[in-house]
Amino acid sequence: MSLLQTGIDALLALGLVWLAWRALACPDLFRGIVLFIAFGLLMALAWVRLEAPDVALAEAAIGAGLTGALLLAALARLNRIAPAGTRADTREAWRNAPALLLVLAGAGLGLAVLSLLPEPAGLQAQVAAELGRSGVSNPVTAVLLNFRGYDTLLEVLVLLLALLAAWSLEAEPPRREAAPGPVLDLLLRLLLPVLVLAAAYLLWAGAHAPGGAFQAGAVLGAAGVLALLAGWRLQPHLTGLPLRLAIVIGPGGFLLVAWALLLTGRPLLEYPPALAGALILLIETLATLSIAATLAVLFQGSRPAAEPPA
Amino acid sequence: MSAAGFYALAGVALVVLGLYGLAVQAHLLRKLLAVNILGSGVFLVLVGLGGPADAGPDPVPHAMVITGIVVAVSATALGLVLMLKLTTTSGRPTLEDDAPREGPEA
Protein backbone atom coordinates (compact mmCIF):
# COMPACT_ATOMS: atom_id res chain seq x y z
CA MET A 1 0.00 0.00 0.00
CA SER A 2 2.73 2.39 0.98
CA LEU A 3 4.69 1.51 -2.17
CA LEU A 4 1.60 2.22 -4.25
CA GLN A 5 1.15 5.59 -2.57
CA THR A 6 4.79 6.50 -3.10
CA GLY A 7 4.38 5.54 -6.75
CA ILE A 8 1.33 7.77 -7.11
CA ASP A 9 3.14 10.65 -5.45
CA ALA A 10 6.19 10.27 -7.67
CA LEU A 11 4.03 10.00 -10.80
CA LEU A 12 1.98 13.04 -9.81
CA ALA A 13 5.08 15.11 -9.07
CA LEU A 14 6.67 14.12 -12.38
CA GLY A 15 3.40 14.75 -14.23
CA LEU A 16 3.22 18.27 -12.78
CA VAL A 17 6.70 19.13 -13.94
CA TRP A 18 6.12 17.58 -17.38
CA LEU A 19 2.82 19.42 -17.91
CA ALA A 20 4.38 22.72 -16.81
CA TRP A 21 7.24 22.13 -19.28
CA ARG A 22 4.86 21.33 -22.14
CA ALA A 23 2.59 24.30 -21.31
CA LEU A 24 5.59 26.61 -21.63
CA ALA A 25 7.31 24.89 -24.56
CA CYS A 26 4.60 23.82 -26.99
CA PRO A 27 4.41 26.15 -30.00
CA ASP A 28 0.65 26.67 -30.03
CA LEU A 29 -0.59 29.09 -27.35
CA PHE A 30 -4.06 27.54 -27.23
CA ARG A 31 -2.56 24.14 -26.47
CA GLY A 32 -0.31 25.75 -23.90
CA ILE A 33 -3.31 27.17 -22.05
CA VAL A 34 -5.18 23.85 -22.17
CA LEU A 35 -2.09 22.10 -20.79
CA PHE A 36 -1.93 24.74 -18.07
CA ILE A 37 -5.53 23.97 -17.07
CA ALA A 38 -4.64 20.26 -16.91
CA PHE A 39 -1.65 21.28 -14.79
CA GLY A 40 -4.00 23.09 -12.40
CA LEU A 41 -6.19 20.00 -12.06
CA LEU A 42 -3.14 17.85 -11.26
CA MET A 43 -2.13 20.50 -8.71
CA ALA A 44 -5.54 20.00 -7.06
CA LEU A 45 -4.79 16.25 -6.83
CA ALA A 46 -1.38 17.04 -5.34
CA TRP A 47 -3.06 19.18 -2.66
CA VAL A 48 -5.33 16.25 -1.80
CA ARG A 49 -2.26 14.04 -1.44
CA LEU A 50 -0.68 16.69 0.81
CA GLU A 51 -3.79 16.57 3.05
CA ALA A 52 -4.81 20.10 2.08
CA PRO A 53 -8.42 19.69 0.87
CA ASP A 54 -9.19 23.41 1.32
CA VAL A 55 -6.33 24.30 -1.01
CA ALA A 56 -7.41 21.56 -3.44
CA LEU A 57 -10.89 23.11 -3.72
CA ALA A 58 -9.46 26.59 -4.22
CA GLU A 59 -6.97 25.32 -6.81
CA ALA A 60 -9.57 23.41 -8.81
CA ALA A 61 -12.05 26.31 -8.83
CA ILE A 62 -9.70 29.30 -9.11
CA GLY A 63 -6.26 28.06 -10.15
CA ALA A 64 -7.45 25.73 -12.91
CA GLY A 65 -11.02 26.83 -13.65
CA LEU A 66 -11.22 30.59 -13.53
CA THR A 67 -7.60 31.30 -14.46
CA GLY A 68 -8.05 28.99 -17.45
CA ALA A 69 -11.25 30.75 -18.47
CA LEU A 70 -9.55 34.15 -18.15
CA LEU A 71 -6.59 32.99 -20.25
CA LEU A 72 -8.79 31.50 -22.99
CA ALA A 73 -10.96 34.63 -23.13
CA ALA A 74 -7.86 36.82 -23.37
CA LEU A 75 -6.47 34.60 -26.15
CA ALA A 76 -9.71 34.95 -28.11
CA ARG A 77 -9.59 38.76 -27.74
CA LEU A 78 -5.91 38.74 -28.70
CA ASN A 79 -6.73 36.82 -31.89
CA ARG A 80 -9.22 39.54 -32.80
CA ILE A 81 -6.81 42.40 -32.10
CA ALA A 82 -3.64 40.91 -33.61
CA PRO A 83 -4.42 37.76 -35.56
CA ALA A 84 -0.77 37.14 -36.47
CA GLY A 85 0.60 37.93 -33.07
CA THR A 86 -0.25 34.79 -31.21
CA ARG A 87 2.24 32.53 -32.96
CA ALA A 88 5.10 34.97 -33.04
CA ASP A 89 6.70 33.66 -29.90
CA THR A 90 8.20 30.41 -31.12
CA ARG A 91 11.09 31.88 -33.07
CA GLU A 92 12.52 33.97 -30.28
CA ALA A 93 11.74 31.45 -27.61
CA TRP A 94 14.17 29.06 -25.99
CA ARG A 95 17.21 30.92 -27.18
CA ASN A 96 20.04 32.52 -25.26
CA ALA A 97 18.77 30.81 -22.16
CA PRO A 98 20.68 31.79 -19.07
CA ALA A 99 20.95 28.07 -18.43
CA LEU A 100 23.82 28.07 -15.98
CA LEU A 101 22.12 30.66 -13.77
CA LEU A 102 18.93 28.61 -13.70
CA VAL A 103 20.74 25.37 -12.91
CA LEU A 104 22.50 27.14 -10.04
CA ALA A 105 19.23 28.61 -8.76
CA GLY A 106 17.53 25.22 -8.97
CA ALA A 107 20.40 23.47 -7.20
CA GLY A 108 20.42 26.10 -4.46
CA LEU A 109 16.67 25.90 -3.93
CA GLY A 110 16.76 22.09 -4.00
CA LEU A 111 19.53 21.98 -1.39
CA ALA A 112 17.63 24.43 0.80
CA VAL A 113 14.47 22.36 0.59
CA LEU A 114 16.34 19.11 1.30
CA SER A 115 18.06 20.65 4.31
CA LEU A 116 14.71 21.85 5.68
CA LEU A 117 12.88 18.59 5.04
CA PRO A 118 13.77 16.30 7.97
CA GLU A 119 12.17 18.48 10.62
CA PRO A 120 9.19 20.53 9.49
CA ALA A 121 8.55 22.96 12.32
CA GLY A 122 4.85 23.66 12.02
CA LEU A 123 2.31 25.72 13.87
CA GLN A 124 -0.17 22.84 14.26
CA ALA A 125 0.04 22.88 18.05
CA GLN A 126 -0.50 26.65 18.41
CA VAL A 127 -3.48 26.60 16.04
CA ALA A 128 -5.01 23.58 17.79
CA ALA A 129 -4.60 25.26 21.18
CA GLU A 130 -6.48 28.41 20.11
CA LEU A 131 -9.02 26.71 17.84
CA GLY A 132 -11.66 26.55 20.56
CA ARG A 133 -11.76 30.35 20.85
CA SER A 134 -11.77 31.06 17.11
CA GLY A 135 -15.49 30.50 16.48
CA VAL A 136 -14.99 27.79 13.85
CA SER A 137 -13.65 24.24 13.96
CA ASN A 138 -11.95 24.08 10.54
CA PRO A 139 -8.34 25.12 11.34
CA VAL A 140 -7.75 26.60 7.87
CA THR A 141 -10.82 28.85 8.15
CA ALA A 142 -9.72 29.80 11.67
CA VAL A 143 -6.31 30.89 10.33
CA LEU A 144 -7.80 32.68 7.30
CA LEU A 145 -10.60 34.60 9.01
CA ASN A 146 -9.47 34.89 12.60
CA PHE A 147 -5.80 34.38 13.45
CA ARG A 148 -4.54 36.04 10.29
CA GLY A 149 -7.66 37.96 9.34
CA TYR A 150 -5.67 41.00 8.17
CA ASP A 151 -4.07 38.86 5.43
CA THR A 152 -7.51 37.99 4.16
CA LEU A 153 -8.72 41.59 4.43
CA LEU A 154 -5.82 42.72 2.27
CA GLU A 155 -6.47 39.82 -0.10
CA VAL A 156 -10.06 40.89 -0.85
CA LEU A 157 -8.74 44.44 -1.27
CA VAL A 158 -6.20 43.14 -3.82
CA LEU A 159 -9.03 41.53 -5.76
CA LEU A 160 -10.95 44.84 -5.72
CA LEU A 161 -7.82 46.73 -6.78
CA ALA A 162 -7.28 44.38 -9.75
CA LEU A 163 -10.84 45.01 -10.89
CA LEU A 164 -10.50 48.79 -10.53
CA ALA A 165 -7.29 48.73 -12.57
CA ALA A 166 -8.85 46.51 -15.24
CA TRP A 167 -11.87 48.78 -15.50
CA SER A 168 -9.81 51.92 -15.72
CA LEU A 169 -7.83 50.51 -18.65
CA GLU A 170 -10.81 49.69 -20.88
CA ALA A 171 -8.87 47.38 -23.15
CA GLU A 172 -11.63 46.82 -25.63
CA PRO A 173 -15.11 48.18 -26.16
CA PRO A 174 -17.75 45.63 -25.18
CA ARG A 175 -19.01 43.65 -28.11
CA ARG A 176 -22.15 41.73 -28.53
CA GLU A 177 -21.43 38.13 -29.33
CA ALA A 178 -23.85 35.81 -30.99
CA ALA A 179 -25.62 33.53 -28.56
CA PRO A 180 -23.96 30.12 -28.78
CA GLY A 181 -27.19 28.23 -29.21
CA PRO A 182 -29.93 26.67 -27.15
CA VAL A 183 -27.92 23.78 -25.64
CA LEU A 184 -25.69 25.92 -23.43
CA ASP A 185 -28.68 28.02 -22.47
CA LEU A 186 -30.69 24.98 -21.39
CA LEU A 187 -27.70 23.45 -19.62
CA LEU A 188 -27.19 26.67 -17.73
CA ARG A 189 -30.83 26.75 -16.60
CA LEU A 190 -30.29 23.29 -15.12
CA LEU A 191 -26.81 23.99 -13.72
CA LEU A 192 -27.30 27.43 -12.22
CA PRO A 193 -29.42 26.34 -9.21
CA VAL A 194 -26.98 23.49 -8.52
CA LEU A 195 -23.99 25.86 -8.64
CA VAL A 196 -25.69 28.35 -6.31
CA LEU A 197 -26.55 25.53 -3.91
CA ALA A 198 -23.00 24.16 -4.06
CA ALA A 199 -21.61 27.63 -3.31
CA ALA A 200 -23.95 28.05 -0.34
CA TYR A 201 -22.95 24.62 0.96
CA LEU A 202 -19.22 25.38 0.59
CA LEU A 203 -19.71 28.67 2.43
CA TRP A 204 -21.61 27.06 5.30
CA ALA A 205 -19.37 23.99 5.51
CA GLY A 206 -16.24 26.14 5.69
CA ALA A 207 -16.76 26.60 9.43
CA HIS A 208 -16.17 22.92 10.20
CA ALA A 209 -15.03 21.17 7.00
CA PRO A 210 -13.06 21.98 3.83
CA GLY A 211 -14.67 24.96 2.13
CA GLY A 212 -15.08 28.65 2.81
CA ALA A 213 -15.61 32.04 1.24
CA PHE A 214 -13.02 31.74 -1.52
CA GLN A 215 -14.11 28.34 -2.74
CA ALA A 216 -17.78 29.36 -2.58
CA GLY A 217 -17.06 32.66 -4.31
CA ALA A 218 -15.16 30.88 -7.06
CA VAL A 219 -18.02 28.42 -7.68
CA LEU A 220 -20.52 31.28 -7.79
CA GLY A 221 -18.16 33.25 -10.02
CA ALA A 222 -17.91 30.24 -12.34
CA ALA A 223 -21.72 30.27 -12.57
CA GLY A 224 -21.45 33.92 -13.61
CA VAL A 225 -18.81 33.07 -16.22
CA LEU A 226 -21.05 30.33 -17.64
CA ALA A 227 -23.93 32.77 -17.79
CA LEU A 228 -21.75 35.29 -19.65
CA LEU A 229 -20.68 32.55 -22.08
CA ALA A 230 -24.31 31.65 -22.72
CA GLY A 231 -24.93 35.26 -23.70
CA TRP A 232 -26.79 36.29 -20.56
CA ARG A 233 -26.23 39.89 -19.53
CA LEU A 234 -27.27 41.84 -16.48
CA GLN A 235 -30.34 44.01 -16.88
CA PRO A 236 -29.19 47.59 -17.58
CA HIS A 237 -30.66 48.85 -14.32
CA LEU A 238 -28.52 46.33 -12.40
CA THR A 239 -25.15 47.16 -13.98
CA GLY A 240 -24.83 50.50 -12.19
CA LEU A 241 -25.06 50.83 -8.44
CA PRO A 242 -26.28 47.28 -7.64
CA LEU A 243 -23.30 45.63 -9.35
CA ARG A 244 -20.85 48.02 -7.72
CA LEU A 245 -22.45 47.37 -4.33
CA ALA A 246 -22.05 43.61 -4.84
CA ILE A 247 -18.38 44.16 -5.69
CA VAL A 248 -17.49 46.35 -2.68
CA ILE A 249 -19.74 44.78 -0.06
CA GLY A 250 -17.14 42.11 0.81
CA PRO A 251 -14.14 44.36 1.48
CA GLY A 252 -16.49 47.06 2.81
CA GLY A 253 -18.17 44.76 5.30
CA PHE A 254 -14.79 43.38 6.36
CA LEU A 255 -13.47 46.91 6.95
CA LEU A 256 -16.61 47.88 8.89
CA VAL A 257 -16.23 44.87 11.19
CA ALA A 258 -12.53 45.69 11.70
CA TRP A 259 -13.39 49.32 12.46
CA ALA A 260 -16.21 48.42 14.86
CA LEU A 261 -13.85 46.09 16.75
CA LEU A 262 -11.25 48.87 17.00
CA LEU A 263 -13.94 51.17 18.45
CA THR A 264 -14.67 48.66 21.20
CA GLY A 265 -11.04 48.88 22.26
CA ARG A 266 -9.89 45.55 20.82
CA PRO A 267 -6.83 45.08 18.59
CA LEU A 268 -7.43 44.97 14.83
CA LEU A 269 -9.68 42.05 13.87
CA GLU A 270 -9.56 40.34 17.27
CA TYR A 271 -13.11 39.08 17.65
CA PRO A 272 -14.75 38.53 21.04
CA PRO A 273 -14.85 34.70 21.32
CA ALA A 274 -18.64 34.65 21.87
CA LEU A 275 -19.29 36.53 18.62
CA ALA A 276 -16.45 35.09 16.54
CA GLY A 277 -18.50 32.43 14.76
CA ALA A 278 -21.24 34.86 13.72
CA LEU A 279 -18.78 37.57 12.64
CA ILE A 280 -16.78 35.09 10.54
CA LEU A 281 -19.95 33.85 8.85
CA LEU A 282 -21.04 37.46 8.14
CA ILE A 283 -17.66 38.40 6.66
CA GLU A 284 -17.50 35.19 4.63
CA THR A 285 -21.01 35.64 3.20
CA LEU A 286 -20.32 39.20 2.07
CA ALA A 287 -16.88 38.19 0.75
CA THR A 288 -18.42 35.30 -1.23
CA LEU A 289 -20.77 37.70 -3.04
CA SER A 290 -17.97 40.14 -3.81
CA ILE A 291 -15.51 37.47 -4.94
CA ALA A 292 -18.11 35.94 -7.26
CA ALA A 293 -19.10 39.30 -8.76
CA THR A 294 -15.48 40.43 -9.14
CA LEU A 295 -14.32 37.22 -10.82
CA ALA A 296 -17.25 37.19 -13.25
CA VAL A 297 -16.75 40.86 -14.14
CA LEU A 298 -13.00 40.33 -14.58
CA PHE A 299 -13.86 37.52 -17.02
CA GLN A 300 -16.05 39.89 -19.02
CA GLY A 301 -12.97 42.09 -19.28
CA SER A 302 -14.64 45.45 -19.69
CA ARG A 303 -16.92 47.60 -17.62
CA PRO A 304 -20.50 46.46 -18.19
CA ALA A 305 -22.25 49.08 -20.25
CA ALA A 306 -24.94 51.00 -18.40
CA GLU A 307 -26.78 51.42 -21.68
CA PRO A 308 -27.29 48.40 -23.90
CA PRO A 309 -25.19 48.85 -27.05
CA ALA A 310 -27.37 49.64 -30.03
CA MET B 1 11.67 10.47 1.60
CA SER B 2 8.14 11.41 2.58
CA ALA B 3 5.41 12.20 0.06
CA ALA B 4 5.66 15.87 1.02
CA GLY B 5 9.32 15.76 0.00
CA PHE B 6 8.45 14.72 -3.56
CA TYR B 7 6.08 17.64 -3.90
CA ALA B 8 8.52 20.14 -2.39
CA LEU B 9 11.16 19.05 -4.91
CA ALA B 10 8.61 19.17 -7.75
CA GLY B 11 7.89 22.71 -6.52
CA VAL B 12 11.57 23.58 -6.90
CA ALA B 13 11.49 22.22 -10.48
CA LEU B 14 8.38 24.30 -11.21
CA VAL B 15 10.05 27.45 -9.85
CA VAL B 16 13.03 26.88 -12.14
CA LEU B 17 10.77 26.15 -15.14
CA GLY B 18 8.71 29.26 -14.41
CA LEU B 19 11.82 31.45 -14.14
CA TYR B 20 13.11 29.97 -17.40
CA GLY B 21 9.84 30.60 -19.21
CA LEU B 22 9.61 34.12 -17.81
CA ALA B 23 13.12 34.96 -18.98
CA VAL B 24 13.07 33.30 -22.39
CA GLN B 25 9.55 33.52 -23.75
CA ALA B 26 8.75 36.66 -25.69
CA HIS B 27 4.96 36.40 -25.77
CA LEU B 28 3.37 38.12 -22.79
CA LEU B 29 0.60 35.55 -22.41
CA ARG B 30 3.26 32.86 -22.18
CA LYS B 31 5.08 34.96 -19.58
CA LEU B 32 1.86 35.05 -17.53
CA LEU B 33 1.64 31.25 -17.78
CA ALA B 34 5.24 31.09 -16.57
CA VAL B 35 4.51 33.37 -13.60
CA ASN B 36 1.53 31.19 -12.65
CA ILE B 37 3.66 28.04 -12.83
CA LEU B 38 6.36 29.74 -10.76
CA GLY B 39 3.73 30.62 -8.17
CA SER B 40 2.41 27.07 -8.07
CA GLY B 41 5.97 25.91 -7.43
CA VAL B 42 6.31 28.31 -4.50
CA PHE B 43 3.00 27.06 -3.07
CA LEU B 44 4.14 23.43 -3.35
CA VAL B 45 7.41 24.20 -1.55
CA LEU B 46 5.51 26.09 1.15
CA VAL B 47 3.01 23.31 1.87
CA GLY B 48 5.46 20.48 1.16
CA LEU B 49 7.84 21.73 3.83
CA GLY B 50 5.05 22.03 6.39
CA GLY B 51 3.59 18.77 5.13
CA PRO B 52 1.87 16.00 7.01
CA ALA B 53 3.91 15.42 10.13
CA ASP B 54 2.92 13.43 13.19
CA ALA B 55 0.73 16.27 14.44
CA GLY B 56 -1.24 16.47 11.19
CA PRO B 57 -0.90 19.02 8.40
CA ASP B 58 -0.03 22.58 9.30
CA PRO B 59 -3.03 24.84 8.53
CA VAL B 60 -1.04 28.09 8.38
CA PRO B 61 0.70 27.40 5.03
CA HIS B 62 -2.63 26.09 3.70
CA ALA B 63 -4.31 29.40 4.50
CA MET B 64 -1.37 31.33 3.01
CA VAL B 65 -1.57 29.31 -0.20
CA ILE B 66 -5.32 29.93 -0.55
CA THR B 67 -4.58 33.65 -0.17
CA GLY B 68 -1.80 33.26 -2.73
CA ILE B 69 -4.08 31.53 -5.26
CA VAL B 70 -6.60 34.39 -5.08
CA VAL B 71 -3.87 37.02 -5.38
CA ALA B 72 -2.41 35.10 -8.35
CA VAL B 73 -5.72 35.09 -10.21
CA SER B 74 -6.15 38.84 -9.52
CA ALA B 75 -2.67 39.57 -10.84
CA THR B 76 -3.23 37.32 -13.87
CA ALA B 77 -6.49 39.07 -14.74
CA LEU B 78 -4.80 42.47 -14.51
CA GLY B 79 -1.82 41.23 -16.52
CA LEU B 80 -4.11 39.97 -19.27
CA VAL B 81 -5.90 43.33 -19.49
CA LEU B 82 -2.54 45.11 -19.66
CA MET B 83 -1.39 42.71 -22.38
CA LEU B 84 -4.53 43.36 -24.45
CA LYS B 85 -4.12 47.11 -23.99
CA LEU B 86 -0.48 46.94 -25.08
CA THR B 87 -1.38 44.84 -28.11
CA THR B 88 -4.10 47.30 -29.12
CA THR B 89 -1.58 50.14 -28.86
CA SER B 90 1.53 48.59 -30.33
CA GLY B 91 0.15 45.75 -32.44
CA ARG B 92 2.40 43.18 -30.76
CA PRO B 93 1.81 41.10 -27.61
CA THR B 94 5.52 41.31 -26.72
CA LEU B 95 7.88 43.68 -24.95
CA GLU B 96 10.85 44.49 -27.12
CA ASP B 97 13.65 46.87 -26.29
CA ASP B 98 15.06 47.17 -29.79
CA ALA B 99 13.45 49.16 -32.55
CA PRO B 100 10.89 47.21 -34.58
CA ARG B 101 12.39 45.65 -37.65
CA GLU B 102 11.04 47.13 -40.85
CA GLY B 103 10.10 45.24 -43.94
CA PRO B 104 8.69 41.80 -44.53
CA GLU B 105 10.15 39.05 -42.44
CA ALA B 106 11.31 35.87 -44.01
Side-chain angles (χ1 to χ4, degrees):
Chain A
M1 195 59 202
S2 161
L3 190 67
L4 180 67
Q5 283 179 346
T6 310
I8 290 175
D9 287 330
L11 216 65
L12 206 50
L14 285 176
L16 278 173
V17 175
W18 184 77
L19 274 178
W21 165 261
R22 292 309 307 158
L24 288 175
C26 80
D28 185 22
L29 254 181
F30 177 75
R31 280 184 62 184
I33 294 175
V34 173
L35 285 167
F36 176 75
I37 295 172
F39 167 81
L41 291 175
L42 275 201
M43 280 292 286
L45 282 182
W47 296 126
V48 173
R49 290 292 304 142
L50 283 166
E51 295 181 42
D54 294 87
V55 186
L57 283 171
E59 180 80 48
I62 304 177
L66 278 164
T67 307
L70 282 171
L71 289 168
L72 286 176
L75 183 64
R77 289 193 185 112
L78 194 62
N79 279 331
R80 282 203 297 270
I81 301 173
T86 56
R87 282 185 161 270
D89 60 327
T90 48
R91 244 172 315 163
E92 302 287 325
W94 308 99
R95 222 173 49 187
N96 305 326
L100 184 66
L101 214 61
L102 284 161
V103 168
L104 281 178
L109 270 173
L111 282 178
V113 164
L114 283 176
S115 72
L116 285 170
L117 262 179
E119 198 182 5
L123 294 166
Q124 294 96 324
Q126 286 90 328
V127 171
E130 293 292 318
L131 194 57
R133 305 200 309 133
S134 72
V136 290
S137 59
N138 175 5
V140 177
T141 305
V143 173
L144 267 179
L145 270 301
N146 197 334
F147 305 148
R148 293 195 64 91
Y150 42 87
D151 281 357
T152 309
L153 172 61
L154 290 175
E155 169 187 0
V156 291
L157 287 175
V158 164
L159 200 55
L160 179 65
L161 200 62
L163 179 69
L164 288 179
W167 271 8
S168 59
L169 280 169
E170 285 291 341
E172 192 197 12
R175 9 173 309 148
R176 203 154 263 285
E177 274 133 28
V183 178
L184 189 58
D185 199 69
L186 187 68
L187 182 72
L188 188 62
R189 278 168 209 279
L190 293 173
L191 265 182
L192 204 56
V194 181
L195 284 171
V196 172
L197 197 65
Y201 169 76
L202 279 172
L203 173 63
W204 181 255
H208 55 84
F214 296 105
Q215 294 85 347
V219 169
L220 210 54
V225 167
L226 265 181
L228 286 170
L229 283 177
W232 296 13
R233 293 292 181 271
L234 279 177
Q235 296 285 321
H237 68 273
L238 288 178
T239 55
L241 194 60
L243 180 67
R244 283 160 177 75
L245 263 184
I247 286 166
V248 299
I249 200 169
F254 212 148
L255 279 174
L256 274 182
V257 170
W259 181 63
L261 287 172
L262 280 180
L263 282 187
T264 62
R266 294 184 154 267
L268 183 71
L269 286 172
E270 188 184 302
Y271 316 125
L275 284 176
L279 283 177
I280 287 177
L281 185 64
L282 173 72
I283 291 172
E284 283 204 297
T285 310
L286 298 179
T288 300
L289 286 177
S290 286
I291 292 165
T294 308
L295 290 174
V297 172
L298 276 175
F299 173 78
Q300 198 181 9
S302 54
R303 204 186 308 217
E307 309 284 323
Chain B
M1 185 167 40
S2 66
F6 277 127
Y7 293 109
L9 286 181
V12 170
L14 291 181
V15 168
V16 173
L17 268 180
L19 277 176
Y20 188 57
L22 186 62
V24 183
Q25 296 277 8
H27 198 293
L28 286 173
L29 202 125
R30 196 80 80 158
K31 278 189 197 287
L32 280 172
L33 279 185
V35 171
N36 271 295
I37 285 170
L38 200 161
S40 295
V42 173
F43 298 156
L44 272 183
V45 171
L46 201 58
V47 172
L49 285 182
D54 300 333
D58 187 353
V60 177
H62 294 188
M64 287 167 76
V65 167
I66 292 177
T67 306
I69 288 173
V70 177
V71 171
V73 78
S74 312
T76 304
L78 181 56
L80 288 171
V81 172
L82 283 171
M83 177 197 74
L84 290 172
K85 186 78 179 170
L86 179 80
T87 312
T88 325
T89 316
S90 73
R92 283 176 314 182
T94 52
L95 296 172
E96 284 172 40
D97 298 332
D98 52 353
R101 282 160 293 189
E102 296 297 329
E105 291 185 33

